[in-house]
């Protein structure tokens, strides 16, 4: 069997030893190929996967062209929770299973969300800039905010991460409100004592901090636009720890320039590989931009590599029921 590990170099793990260890332990004698992908190398990539049984990737577009070029491909394992780069209809038509990692970094992203929220509310970037670059010692350099216990946090998306953020924010004394049209009664019951479900407009009207944890879908592309920023009545801090495509970046810049929001923490941008030298969000004292790092810890990276490779092993050895999460399962005729 042949397994190809491929992605943009900036997104690949520095070491693939654990991935190879898991794959070769579960599939003795398998060939593991690591392919640093670039768009101008797509022809070479398509040639490489021609005889591949499995592909492990996160950001390469898995479309009709790619699937047609890989007639032996049986499974695409996504080493991420999102799978919007995969054409699920085409995968189903070609009989290729698709399995993202259902959960590996919930606590890490929730911790990062709270960390960046605190940094914004307490103006850490502004103070550090004043000390490091101006060599000033001024407690009143930045505009103060009220205590967290007097603030309301509005959460969009109450999946695993959103619920973890809600628990931590409630523990800090914040009032927590949320919107999620897809949440089940069972999952809401897990945080009902800490979170009040409400409408989009209610959050925009009453939140001091807004944080986005929605899964990307057709209904929420550019969910945060000029219209919604203008409705944020309390000029809140805005955090996006989900997907860059859910925010209209030009409108966000305008909202910052016009002080419709006090600041922002962004772990994702409109593109996964932004031109930071020319990005108008970079270099602001009230904006924290981080390189999609909210998930990053020794524990999460180990889990990500192990689970995504074990998914391949389980599927190729005839145990799809053991796969952590299957969104396309040809053996059952569709999506789960």
């Amino acid at each position: 069997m042949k397994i190809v590990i491929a992605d943009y170099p900036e997104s690949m793990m520095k070491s693939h030893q654990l991935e190879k260890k898991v794959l070769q332990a579960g599939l003795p004698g398998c060939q593991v190929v690591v392919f640093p992908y670039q768009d101008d190398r797509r022809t070479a990539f398509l040639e490489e996967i021609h005889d591949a049984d499995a592909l492990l990737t996160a950001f390469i577009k898995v479309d009709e062209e790619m699937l047609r070029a890989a007639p032996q491909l049986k499974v695409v394992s996504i080493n991420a929770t999102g799978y919007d780069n995969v054409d699920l209809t085409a995968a189903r038509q070609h009989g290729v299973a698709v399995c993202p990692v259902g959960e590996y970094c919930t606590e890490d992203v929730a911790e990062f969300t709270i960390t960046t929220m605190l940094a914004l509310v307490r103006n850490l970037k502004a103070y550090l800039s004043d000390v490091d670059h101006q060599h000033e010692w001024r407690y009143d350099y930045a505009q103060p905010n009220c205590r967290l216990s007097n603030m309301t946090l509005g959460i969009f998306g109450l999946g695993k991460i959103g619920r973890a953020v809600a628990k931590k924010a409630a523990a800090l004394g914040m009032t927590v409100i949320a919107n999620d049209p897809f949440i089940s009664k069972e999952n809401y019951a897990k945080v009902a004592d800490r979170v009040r479900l409400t409408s989009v407009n209610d959050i925009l009207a009453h939140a001091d901090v807004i944080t986005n944890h929605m899964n990307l879908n057709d209904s929420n592309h550019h969910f945060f636009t000029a219209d919604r920023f203008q409705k944020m009545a309390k000029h809140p801090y805005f955090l996006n720890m989900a997907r860059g495509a859910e925010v209209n970046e030009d409108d966000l810049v305008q909202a910052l320039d016009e002080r419709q929001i006090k600041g922002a923490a962004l772990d994702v941008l409109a593109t996964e590989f932004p031109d930071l030298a020319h990005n108008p969000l970079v270099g602001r004292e009230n904006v924290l931009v981080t390189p999609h790092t909210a998930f990053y810890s020794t524990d999460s990276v180990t889990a990500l590599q192990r689970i995504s490779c074990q998914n391949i092993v389980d599927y190729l050895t005839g145990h799809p029921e053991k796969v952590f999460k299957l969104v396309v399962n040809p053996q059952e005729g569709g999506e789960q």
Side-chain angles (χ1 to χ4, degrees), residues 78-94:
I78 309 298
N79 58 342
T81 56
Y83 46 91
D84 43 286
N85 289 313
V86 182
D87 184 333
L88 300 183
T89 299
R92 190 163 52 249
Q93 291 172 345
H94 284 267

Side-chain angles (χ1 to χ4, degrees), residues 7-243:
D7 226 317
Y8 292 91
E10 301 92 335
S11 301
M12 298 182 82
M13 299 294 179
K14 291 183 173 60
S15 171
H16 298 282
Q17 292 307 306
L18 176 58
E19 292 164 313
K20 291 179 179 178
K21 180 179 178 181
V22 173
L23 290 168
Q24 290 169 345
L27 301 166
C30 71
Q31 177 189 8
V32 180
V33 176
V34 177
F35 188 97
Y37 178 89
Q38 295 285 10
D39 290 333
D40 59 6
R41 296 190 69 200
R42 188 158 178 89
T43 299
F45 169 69
L46 295 180
E47 292 174 355
E48 186 65 69
I49 63 170
H50 178 74
D51 58 347
D53 296 279
L55 171 66
L56 175 61
T57 188
F59 297 108
I60 294 176
K61 185 173 289 296
V62 179
D63 54 14
E64 171 66 29
E65 178 194 37
M66 197 223 83
L67 292 164
R68 191 169 58 248
Q72 293 185 199
L73 195 67
K74 301 172 184 65
V75 59
V76 175
S77 180
I78 309 298
N79 58 342
T81 56
Y83 46 91
D84 43 286
N85 289 313
V86 182
D87 184 333
L88 300 183
T89 299
R92 190 163 52 249
Q93 291 172 345
H94 284 267
V96 176
V98 179
C99 46
V101 176
E103 197 285 320
Y104 72 99
C105 61
T106 294
E107 285 301 310
D108 308 278
V109 178
E111 289 171 2
F112 195 85
T113 301
I114 297 298
T115 299
T116 55
M117 178 184 69
L118 288 166
L120 284 175
V121 170
R122 302 300 297 193
N123 296 303
L124 289 191
K125 188 175 181 182
Y127 283 124
L128 291 173
S129 176
D130 197 35
V131 171
D132 289 342
H133 301 298
Q134 304 303 322
H135 301 156
E136 295 285 356
W137 192 257
R138 299 179 287 188
Y139 74 88
D140 57 352
Y141 174 69
Q143 184 69 29
N145 291 291
C146 65
R147 297 168 178 162
L148 283 181
S149 57
N150 290 325
M151 287 187 171
T152 295
L153 174 66
I155 301 175
F156 284 92
L158 270 183
K160 292 185 180 74
I161 293 172
R163 295 196 299 273
V165 170
K167 291 179 181 178
K168 295 179 190 302
L172 292 170
M174 300 185 80
T175 298
V176 183
I177 56 179
N179 178 268
D180 189 332
F182 304 106
I183 192 170
S184 66
K185 291 182 179 179
E186 178 185 4
N187 281 333
Y188 179 54
K190 297 175 183 177
V191 291
D193 60 330
R194 303 175 178 89
V195 184
R196 176 173 63 86
L197 278 179
T198 188
S199 67
V200 171
N201 285 335
D202 189 43
I203 293 178
L204 300 181
H206 295 103
D208 299 284
V209 181
I210 291 175
T211 183
N212 176 39
H213 301 284
M214 296 185 293
N215 289 326
L216 179 64
N217 57 51
D218 292 339
S219 69
N220 61 24
H221 181 268
H222 280 187
F223 183 89
F224 295 99
T225 59
D227 177 63
R228 288 204 162 110
F229 286 120
Q230 289 165 5
K231 290 179 179 177
M232 295 179 182
K234 297 176 78 172
H235 306 288
Y237 291 99
F238 175 75
L239 288 72
N240 187 16
M241 302 292 151
R243 287 290 183 267

Side-chain angles (χ1 to χ4, degrees), residues 295-330:
F295 79 97
Y296 196 51
S297 72
T298 54
D299 300 293
S300 65
V301 169
T302 297
L304 176 62
Q305 290 181 299
R306 178 182 53 78
I307 295 170
S308 60
C309 290
Q310 190 61 46
N311 281 343
I312 291 175
V313 171
D314 289 336
Y315 192 82
L316 291 182
T317 55
H319 297 286
E321 75 281 358
K322 293 183 179 180
V323 174
F324 196 88
K325 182 179 182 181
L326 270 170
V327 294
V328 172
N329 182 5

